[in-house]
PDB file of all heavy atoms in Angstrom:
ATOM      1  N   PRO A  19     -12.956  39.271 -89.353  1.00 99.00           N
ATOM      2  CA  PRO A  19     -13.643  40.533 -89.116  1.00 99.00           C
ATOM      3  C   PRO A  19     -13.806  40.869 -87.735  1.00 99.00           C
ATOM      4  O   PRO A  19     -13.978  40.131 -86.845  1.00 99.00           O
ATOM      5  CB  PRO A  19     -14.936  40.333 -89.747  1.00 99.00           C
ATOM      6  CG  PRO A  19     -15.221  38.722 -89.717  1.00 99.00           C
ATOM      7  CD  PRO A  19     -13.852  38.241 -89.751  1.00 99.00           C
ATOM      8  N   ALA A  21     -15.615  44.155 -85.624  1.00 98.00           N
ATOM      9  CA  ALA A  21     -16.226  45.514 -85.631  1.00 98.00           C
ATOM     10  C   ALA A  21     -15.625  46.293 -84.476  1.00 98.00           C
ATOM     11  O   ALA A  21     -15.254  45.890 -83.463  1.00 98.00           O
ATOM     12  CB  ALA A  21     -17.705  45.352 -85.318  1.00 98.00           C
ATOM     13  N   GLN A  73     -18.782  42.310 -95.228  1.00 98.00           N
ATOM     14  CA  GLN A  73     -19.698  41.505 -94.362  1.00 98.00           C
ATOM     15  C   GLN A  73     -21.085  42.066 -94.111  1.00 98.00           C
ATOM     16  O   GLN A  73     -21.069  43.196 -93.514  1.00 98.00           O
ATOM     17  CB  GLN A  73     -19.086  40.904 -93.124  1.00 98.00           C
ATOM     18  CG  GLN A  73     -19.939  39.981 -92.332  1.00 98.00           C
ATOM     19  CD  GLN A  73     -19.324  39.695 -91.042  1.00 98.00           C
ATOM     20  OE1 GLN A  73     -19.339  40.434 -90.135  1.00 98.00           O
ATOM     21  NE2 GLN A  73     -18.855  38.298 -90.815  1.00 98.00           N
ATOM     22  N   LYS A 142     -20.124  33.306 -92.172  1.00 99.00           N
ATOM     23  CA  LYS A 142     -19.383  33.170 -90.941  1.00 99.00           C
ATOM     24  C   LYS A 142     -20.363  32.722 -89.832  1.00 99.00           C
ATOM     25  O   LYS A 142     -21.248  33.449 -89.580  1.00 99.00           O
ATOM     26  CB  LYS A 142     -18.637  34.409 -90.532  1.00 99.00           C
ATOM     27  CG  LYS A 142     -17.773  34.283 -89.315  1.00 99.00           C
ATOM     28  CD  LYS A 142     -16.631  35.221 -89.256  1.00 99.00           C
ATOM     29  CE  LYS A 142     -15.753  35.062 -88.042  1.00 99.00           C
ATOM     30  NZ  LYS A 142     -16.337  35.752 -86.981  1.00 99.00           N
ATOM     31  N   ASN A 203     -11.611  29.116 -87.130  1.00 99.00           N
ATOM     32  CA  ASN A 203     -11.272  30.255 -86.327  1.00 99.00           C
ATOM     33  C   ASN A 203     -11.585  30.152 -84.899  1.00 99.00           C
ATOM     34  O   ASN A 203     -12.552  29.304 -84.455  1.00 99.00           O
ATOM     35  CB  ASN A 203     -12.233  31.440 -86.897  1.00 99.00           C
ATOM     36  CG  ASN A 203     -12.286  32.671 -86.079  1.00 99.00           C
ATOM     37  OD1 ASN A 203     -13.428  33.035 -85.562  1.00 99.00           O
ATOM     38  ND2 ASN A 203     -11.132  33.343 -85.871  1.00 99.00           N
ATOM     39  N   ASP A 205      -9.065  31.106 -81.217  1.00 98.00           N
ATOM     40  CA  ASP A 205      -7.984  30.989 -80.334  1.00 98.00           C
ATOM     41  C   ASP A 205      -6.649  30.594 -80.911  1.00 98.00           C
ATOM     42  O   ASP A 205      -5.650  30.087 -80.388  1.00 98.00           O
ATOM     43  CB  ASP A 205      -8.254  29.769 -79.243  1.00 98.00           C
ATOM     44  CG  ASP A 205      -9.459  30.130 -78.419  1.00 98.00           C
ATOM     45  OD1 ASP A 205      -9.844  31.314 -78.278  1.00 98.00           O
ATOM     46  OD2 ASP A 205     -10.015  29.157 -77.796  1.00 98.00           O
ATOM     47  N   GLY A 227      -8.321  36.648 -85.172  1.00 98.00           N
ATOM     48  CA  GLY A 227      -8.918  37.936 -84.658  1.00 98.00           C
ATOM     49  C   GLY A 227      -8.038  38.580 -83.681  1.00 98.00           C
ATOM     50  O   GLY A 227      -7.065  39.285 -83.875  1.00 98.00           O
ATOM     51  N   ARG A 228      -8.448  38.220 -82.419  1.00 98.00           N
ATOM     52  CA  ARG A 228      -7.690  39.008 -81.220  1.00 98.00           C
ATOM     53  C   ARG A 228      -6.295  38.965 -81.057  1.00 98.00           C
ATOM     54  O   ARG A 228      -5.613  39.911 -80.547  1.00 98.00           O
ATOM     55  CB  ARG A 228      -8.491  38.529 -79.927  1.00 98.00           C
ATOM     56  CG  ARG A 228      -9.940  39.017 -79.860  1.00 98.00           C
ATOM     57  CD  ARG A 228     -10.645  38.141 -78.882  1.00 98.00           C
ATOM     58  NE  ARG A 228     -10.620  36.805 -79.171  1.00 98.00           N
ATOM     59  CZ  ARG A 228     -11.019  35.684 -78.264  1.00 98.00           C
ATOM     60  NH1 ARG A 228     -11.376  36.033 -77.135  1.00 98.00           N
ATOM     61  NH2 ARG A 228     -10.961  34.579 -78.622  1.00 98.00           N
ATOM     62  N   GLY A 347     -18.566  43.927 -79.083  1.00 45.00           N
ATOM     63  CA  GLY A 347     -19.286  43.810 -80.238  1.00 45.00           C
ATOM     64  C   GLY A 347     -18.662  42.789 -81.279  1.00 45.00           C
ATOM     65  O   GLY A 347     -17.394  42.762 -81.517  1.00 45.00           O
TER      66      GLY A 347
HETATM   67  C1  FMN B 401     -13.923  43.289 -80.895  1.00 94.44           C
HETATM   68  C2  FMN B 401     -14.422  42.156 -81.728  1.00 94.44           C
HETATM   69  C3  FMN B 401     -15.228  42.410 -82.894  1.00 94.44           C
HETATM   70  C4  FMN B 401     -15.684  41.453 -83.821  1.00 94.44           C
HETATM   71  N1  FMN B 401     -16.630  41.836 -84.870  1.00 94.44           N
HETATM   72  C5  FMN B 401     -16.944  40.727 -85.696  1.00 94.44           C
HETATM   73  C6  FMN B 401     -17.694  41.126 -86.883  1.00 94.44           C
HETATM   74  O1  FMN B 401     -17.937  42.369 -87.248  1.00 94.44           O
HETATM   75  N2  FMN B 401     -18.107  40.054 -87.684  1.00 94.44           N
HETATM   76  C7  FMN B 401     -17.762  38.846 -87.516  1.00 94.44           C
HETATM   77  O2  FMN B 401     -18.174  37.824 -88.159  1.00 94.44           O
HETATM   78  N3  FMN B 401     -17.100  38.419 -86.328  1.00 94.44           N
HETATM   79  C8  FMN B 401     -16.679  39.391 -85.390  1.00 94.44           C
HETATM   80  N4  FMN B 401     -15.728  39.039 -84.376  1.00 94.44           N
HETATM   81  C9  FMN B 401     -15.483  37.683 -84.072  1.00 94.44           C
HETATM   82  C10 FMN B 401     -14.075  37.375 -84.849  1.00 94.44           C
HETATM   83  O3  FMN B 401     -14.128  37.416 -86.157  1.00 94.44           O
HETATM   84  C11 FMN B 401     -13.659  35.992 -84.369  1.00 94.44           C
HETATM   85  O4  FMN B 401     -14.566  35.103 -84.769  1.00 94.44           O
HETATM   86  C12 FMN B 401     -13.424  35.856 -82.823  1.00 94.44           C
HETATM   87  O5  FMN B 401     -12.801  36.900 -82.242  1.00 94.44           O
HETATM   88  C13 FMN B 401     -12.643  34.512 -82.551  1.00 94.44           C
HETATM   89  O6  FMN B 401     -11.335  34.526 -83.122  1.00 94.44           O
HETATM   90  P1  FMN B 401     -10.110  34.736 -82.332  1.00 94.44           P
HETATM   91  O7  FMN B 401     -10.007  33.756 -81.188  1.00 94.44           O
HETATM   92  O8  FMN B 401      -8.931  34.670 -83.257  1.00 94.44           O
HETATM   93  O9  FMN B 401     -10.235  36.263 -81.773  1.00 94.44           O
HETATM   94  C14 FMN B 401     -15.405  40.065 -83.486  1.00 94.44           C
HETATM   95  C15 FMN B 401     -14.573  39.827 -82.351  1.00 94.44           C
HETATM   96  C16 FMN B 401     -14.110  40.771 -81.620  1.00 94.44           C
HETATM   97  C17 FMN B 401     -13.273  40.491 -80.450  1.00 94.44           C
END
Side-chain angles (χ1 to χ4, degrees):
Q73 188 187 64
K142 180 146 180 287
N203 169 240
D205 298 347
R228 293 162 298 166

